[in-house]
Amino acid sequence: MIPMEAPTSASLAKKVLGLFCLMAAIAYIQRAALSVPAKEIAADLHFQDFAGEMGIIQSVWYFSYALMQLPGGFLADRLGSRKAVVVLACVWSMATLACAFANSFVSLMILWGLMGAAQAGAFPCAAKALGQLFPDDQRARATGILASGMMIGGAIAPSLASFCLDRMSPMAGSGVFFRWQILLASYSIPGVLWAILFFILIPEWQFNNSRKNTESKSRIKWSVVFQSAPLVLLCAQQFFRAAGMVFFMTWFPTFLQETRGVSLSGSGILTTIAGIGGVLGSLSGGFASDWILKYTGNARLARQGIAMIGMSACSCLIICSYFVNNLNMSIALISIGAFCASFGGVSGYTVAISFGGSMVATVFGTMNMCGNLGAALFPVTAGWLVRETGNWNIILFFFAGIMAIDAVCWALLNPKGTLSDASL
């Protein structure tokens, strides 16, 4: 039975957004768990080729995550965000726990890939919920806040991992478990607690009306969907942006250790500093995009325009950081570059929600699938480039080139109407 005094749509929207931001932070902390202790893991599990094998493990996570995006989006469209995300949060947290028991390269690769597959449906669920609860002129700030949750998780993950690893050294001293295994086991707990909290605070009835109003039961013309030029460009920009930004989640701590002589704990702190730039960019980019839309009425300028400028600026700043010898100044340039990329990056989610229409989760899942294919290719490609050249700095130029291509995709992207209108 529906309670007599239902919360207003605005209060429901804020509550759901806050919970999804918390989920995003938890998810990003979990997915970055291998980046700081990468060398320890390779040594403890007797990897033969650190860069190559760890690159494969990181890439398998993103391939699994990418391949399950479209099924995850379809599931959210059919079952609704609440049911899907609660189940998925429990499943990926249990998979994180299972990774703590990996005892070889193969077992870690398989278990880490399963964790990525389970986490795939989370953000299509979030995008669908935000599309239902926020009007068009508030979606950029909503998606910017959601993205900031992701960036906060990614920003604090290295420092948090470094801190936890230091505190777990005494527990690992017995020789029964390695400290990175204790870290993974600990990281499995917050996701389960979040699922319980979301299930309790967001009853099913609160989603019923919006689901009935926005879901379409008509048959989708998939041939029209996959021939859509705007969808292709939307997927392309996500492919390149995610490929570039995953640098901070995978190789950046090791890059600092190898090129700047930074310690393990120092690399975690510096990666967090760069991540803070991404957090600030996501927050300010969302509010700026909605402000531009409100005062100009030009959606192309408010969405695609800031994305193109942000990616271009990021590429230039990353290249400049290579030529700066001072470590602090170099990190400052990289942090500003992360700010610019995240400032414009919120447009990807906003455009996907508007363009998706009643198929938001499916469109978002398709876009995010392509993004994570790019993210999957970056670690293994970067590892291969380092192995072939013996130069860790090549990753920096690889990142800058990717962001420049992403800017071109945004310059060409200009969707008209919604994809659901054309595909029904």
Side-chain angles (χ1 to χ4, degrees), residues 50-411:
F50 164 59
E53 290 179 285
M54 187 55 71
I56 290 172
I57 289 173
Q58 299 277 23
S59 290
V60 164
W61 190 97
Y62 285 99
F63 273 122
S64 301
Y65 186 82
L67 293 176
M68 291 303 295
Q69 284 293 315
L70 191 53
F74 181 79
L75 183 68
D77 274 335
R78 305 313 297 175
L79 298 182
S81 302
R82 179 180 178 271
K83 289 180 180 178
V85 77
V86 167
V87 172
L88 290 171
C90 291
V91 172
W92 85 61
S93 296
M94 291 302 96
T96 303
L97 175 62
C99 290
F101 296 94
N103 58 9
S104 66
F105 162 72
V106 174
S107 63
L108 183 59
M109 178 184 67
I110 293 172
L111 291 171
W112 196 240
L114 289 174
M115 189 274 228
Q119 204 175 95
F123 293 104
C125 287
K128 181 176 181 63
L130 298 186
Q132 292 170 348
L133 297 171
F134 288 90
D136 186 60
D137 62 354
Q138 295 179 21
R139 285 177 185 163
R141 70 189 71 177
T143 56
I145 293 171
L146 176 64
S148 71
M150 304 177 198
M151 299 302 295
I152 288 171
I156 68 174
S159 294
L160 180 62
S162 298
F163 175 83
C164 291
L165 288 167
D166 287 340
R167 296 302 181 274
M168 290 169 180
S169 293
M171 289 185 283
S174 63
V176 178
F177 295 105
F178 299 118
R179 59 180 188 168
W180 59 266
Q181 291 178 312
I182 302 173
L183 177 72
L184 287 171
S186 301
Y187 274 11
S188 68
I189 299 172
V192 176
L193 295 179
W194 179 88
I196 295 171
L197 184 67
F198 191 86
F199 185 81
I200 293 173
L201 294 181
I202 310 296
E204 177 66 21
W205 64 266
Q206 293 187 7
F207 273 91
N208 284 343
N209 289 338
S210 58
R211 284 179 60 193
K212 290 177 182 178
N213 290 337
T214 59
E215 288 181 356
S216 172
K217 302 299 183 181
S218 302
R219 185 177 179 180
I220 297 171
K221 296 180 181 178
W222 291 100
S223 59
V224 175
V225 171
F226 292 115
Q227 291 176 16
S228 168
L231 181 59
V232 170
L233 285 170
L234 189 62
C235 290
Q237 67 78 26
Q238 191 74 354
F239 176 91
F240 291 109
R241 189 181 71 86
M245 295 304 288
V246 79
F247 173 43
F248 297 104
M249 301 290 293
T250 55
W251 284 121
F252 191 57
T254 306
F255 165 80
L256 292 174
Q257 295 165 27
E258 296 292 335
T259 62
R260 301 284 182 164
V262 179
S263 66
L264 185 147
S265 59
S267 67
I269 293 171
L270 292 176
T271 301
T272 294
I273 291 173
I276 290 172
V279 173
L280 297 176
S282 296
L283 284 172
S284 56
F287 281 90
S289 180
D290 280 344
W291 183 87
I292 293 171
L293 178 64
K294 179 180 179 180
Y295 285 96
T296 68
N298 189 329
R300 182 162 167 75
L301 175 64
R303 308 312 194 202
Q304 292 94 308
I306 67 167
M308 182 183 67
I309 294 170
M311 304 309 160
S312 300
C314 175
S315 180
C316 294
L317 288 164
I318 294 301
I319 292 175
C320 290
S321 72
Y322 169 77
F323 297 100
V324 176
N325 293 325
N326 182 273
L327 175 61
N328 292 333
M329 184 60 68
S330 178
I331 292 297
L333 290 172
I334 292 173
S335 299
I336 298 172
F339 171 91
C340 293
S342 298
F343 184 90
V346 298
S347 293
Y349 292 177
T350 310
V351 173
I353 291 173
S354 298
F355 183 56
S358 63
M359 298 165 54
V360 172
T362 299
V363 169
F364 186 91
T366 304
M367 179 189 75
N368 223 25
M369 176 182 69
C370 293
N372 285 280
L373 286 174
L377 289 172
F378 182 90
V380 69
T381 304
W384 176 81
L385 286 171
V386 170
R387 186 173 65 249
E388 292 298 311
T389 64
N391 185 358
W392 281 90
N393 283 309
I394 197 169
I395 296 180
L396 210 61
F397 290 96
F398 185 41
F399 175 31
I402 287 172
M403 301 311 288
I405 296 172
D406 193 61
V408 174
C409 293
W410 276 112

